[in-house]
Amino acid sequence: MATNRTFTMIKPDAVANGHIGAILNDIIAAGFKVVAMKYTHLTEKNAGAFYEVHKERPFYGDLVQFMTSGPIVAAILEKDNAVEEFRKLIGATDPTKAEEGTIRNKYATSIEANAVHGSDSDENAAIEGNFFFSALERH
Ligand code: GDP
């Protein structure tokens, strides 16, 4: 069943390239409400745990290195059918395949440094949101 929340991160590439403001603006303009937000820097242990599902994939080590290479913005977002709507807003994993106007099309630089994370299911949205935020940090 679709819920109304998803989880996102603005990844180190987009933060370093100065796109925090533009990406948040696109997210809010698309009708998402910010429920929780923080600016933080993942440790290797945290990034490894967050991407545990990708442990067997060949790019896992590189992905963990990349995600710890600089600060990120983490957020929980609310909108009807949030997971699917947010995946549409960010576009395909590979920015060369992301539709015109999507966040990855506009701000990503490679399949790895692809500007933003977006949960791929309601179940993962809840797990990922809980990874970063306590009940007191949600508004
Ligand atoms: P997403 O759900 O669109 O983020 O894509 P995946 O769940 O398949 O992959 C998770 C993240 O791993 C992506 O957002 C990329 O940052 C990275 N990634 C995916 N595929 C590749 C790849 O082929 N090579 C590298 N280096 N990184 C990848």
Side-chain angles (χ1 to χ4, degrees):
M1 197 185 77
T3 64
N4 63 351
R5 287 189 177 183
T6 191
F7 171 79
T8 187
M9 287 185 282
I10 301 177
K11 297 186 180 183
D13 60 313
V15 171
N17 292 330
H19 298 313
I20 293 177
I23 290 173
L24 289 178
N25 199 46
D26 282 3
I27 290 171
I28 291 161
F32 290 88
K33 180 192 162 215
V34 176
V35 173
M37 179 171 282
K38 69 174 65 164
Y39 187 45
T40 186
H41 193 146
L42 290 169
T43 61
E44 245 178 67
K45 195 175 161 200
N46 284 335
F50 185 88
Y51 284 110
E52 181 98 38
V53 289
H54 294 310
K55 212 169 182 167
E56 304 309 321
R57 296 173 81 174
F59 57 81
Y60 177 73
D62 286 343
L63 178 59
V64 169
Q65 287 310 307
F66 164 62
M67 289 303 295
T68 58
S69 66
I72 57 122
V73 176
I76 296 174
L77 304 172
E78 194 168 80
K79 187 185 181 180
D80 284 350
N81 202 18
V83 167
E84 203 183 317
E85 289 294 307
F86 194 70
R87 298 283 295 191
K88 266 192 239 161
L89 179 68
I90 67 177
T93 309
D94 179 350
T96 65
K97 296 182 181 136
E99 239 180 86
E100 187 78 27
T102 58
I103 290 176
R104 283 169 168 167
N105 167 261
K106 291 200 279 186
Y107 307 113
T109 51
S110 72
I111 191 166
E112 178 178 83
N114 60 2
V116 281
H117 169 81
S119 304
D120 63 4
S121 67
D122 292 339
E123 189 193 359
N124 284 337
I127 293 169
E128 292 168 0
N130 290 338
F131 188 91
F132 279 88
F133 298 102
S134 71
L136 283 174
E137 295 172 309
R138 299 166 196 231
H139 312 286

